[in-house]
Amino acid sequence: MLKWIEKFNRLFVVWAVLICVVAALFPSTFAPLKFLIVPLLMVVMFGMGATLRIVDFKEPLKRPHVVMLGVSIQYLIMPLAAYLISKALKLPTELMVGMVLVGSVSGGTASNVVAFLAGGDVPLSIVMTAVSTFLAVFLTPLLTDFYVGATVPVAVLPMFLSILKIVVIPVAAGILLNTLFQEKLEKIQPIFPFISVVTIVILIGIIIGLNQSRLATLALPMALAVILHNACGLTAGYGLPRLFGCDEKTCRTIAIEAGMQNSGLAVALSLKYFTAASALPGAIFSLWHNLSGSFLATVWTAMDARKAKKEGCPVLTTE
């Protein structure tokens, strides 16, 4: 059963592409499911928390400068890059809002899995995701207001309360539950990534269904913007730590964390406070960052294998 789940999760991109096609052909099947977005996202956030324990924060937090470097890239470079790319490509206002939201949310839960596959520092990845998630309560509404508040009204306080409800409370509940009942939860923990994959696929289908009539005009510029934005996060996330003297594992980890955003949260906030079109960047980002992250993990793993072979060392795999 667990092997089947792992294989299913690895084919995320396939399921995402398939759901895009099906939702574009049958939008009326998916669009009415809009009401499920927030509850499903809360389940995903609880699942993320249920894979963590309070003790997991101990070791990485001994290097607070590394954590803060990663989080700074997350909240300084990513929203700025989203805004500048949107302006450069002259995206419509509603798409720019969606791009800024994607840039202003926390790191995505998938980043922890990709960090593992890429030979990164998994505990550091987990802590960075958790720290950026809790900071999102304050920073996501404030950054969104800073970049697009002059163009569209941004409900800062209601957005703050939504993130608290959708993200922080479920994550905190999951951490508490796993800390208290770790042995009992260990048996079902592998199911949480599966739930995340299914949920994100459903989210993508709903957004495609809601935007089906406008896909022909929005899809190409939106895809280009998302690819450029993701590339900015990956490049800055790897390059800046390297400039500060971080080791290879740390650079890989921060690159993945900065490049992979909590696009599900961006989708939920877009639909609640802006328009269906504003949710499109988050849906496309969900597809693209998993593709680019998996590709990078494959490249880095191959590099490690060649290096180990050259040095005559055994190669550790994630199988």
Side-chain angles (χ1 to χ4, degrees), residues 54-64 67 121 123-124 127:
I54 295 175
V55 70
D56 293 332
F57 295 81
K58 184 178 179 181
E59 193 61 35
L61 286 178
K62 291 179 180 178
R63 298 183 291 161
V67 176
D121 187 332
L124 175 62
V127 167

Side-chain angles (χ1 to χ4, degrees), residues 69-150:
L69 174 60
V71 172
S72 296
I73 294 171
Q74 184 95 56
Y75 284 118
L76 292 177
I77 291 179
M78 291 303 280
L80 176 61
Y83 178 77
L84 293 177
I85 289 169
S86 299
K87 285 292 187 181
L89 295 179
K90 299 179 180 179
L91 296 181
T93 299
E94 52 194 349
L95 292 186
M96 181 175 70
V97 169
M99 283 290 296
V100 168
L101 268 172
V102 170
S104 302
V105 293
S106 56
T109 55
S111 63
N112 308 144
V113 177
V114 174
F116 168 70
L117 296 175
D121 187 332
V122 178
L124 175 62
S125 176
I126 290 171
V127 167
M128 283 181 56
T129 301
V131 171
S132 68
T133 296
F134 285 107
L135 287 176
V137 177
F138 308 100
L139 294 181
T140 299
L142 293 175
L143 287 168
T144 304
D145 186 51
F146 177 78
Y147 283 105
V148 300

Side-chain angles (χ1 to χ4, degrees), residues 201-317:
V201 167
I202 293 172
L203 286 174
I204 292 173
I206 295 171
I207 302 310
I208 296 299
L210 290 169
N211 289 285
Q212 190 263 0
S213 62
R214 305 183 62 190
L215 281 179
T217 56
L218 297 180
L220 188 58
M222 194 65 264
L224 178 58
V226 164
I227 290 170
L228 290 174
H229 188 219
N230 175 242
C232 284
L234 294 171
T235 303
Y238 186 90
L240 289 178
R242 179 62 75 191
L243 287 176
F244 281 97
C246 294
D247 59 65
E248 177 68 16
K249 287 185 70 171
T250 300
C251 292
R252 292 182 185 184
T253 304
I254 295 178
I256 292 166
E257 194 65 28
M260 301 188 72
Q261 301 290 86
N262 189 344
S263 47
L265 177 59
V267 164
L269 295 176
S270 295
L271 289 175
K272 188 171 180 64
Y273 296 106
F274 301 102
T275 65
S278 296
L280 194 57
I284 296 177
F285 203 94
S286 291
L287 172 61
W288 177 254
H289 78 175
N290 280 280
L291 185 62
S292 64
S294 300
F295 174 76
L296 259 184
T298 302
V299 170
W300 279 330
T301 301
M303 288 171 56
D304 291 342
R306 284 197 299 270
K307 183 178 178 181
K309 186 177 180 181
K310 188 176 180 180
E311 296 175 353
C313 300
V315 181
L316 296 177
T317 67

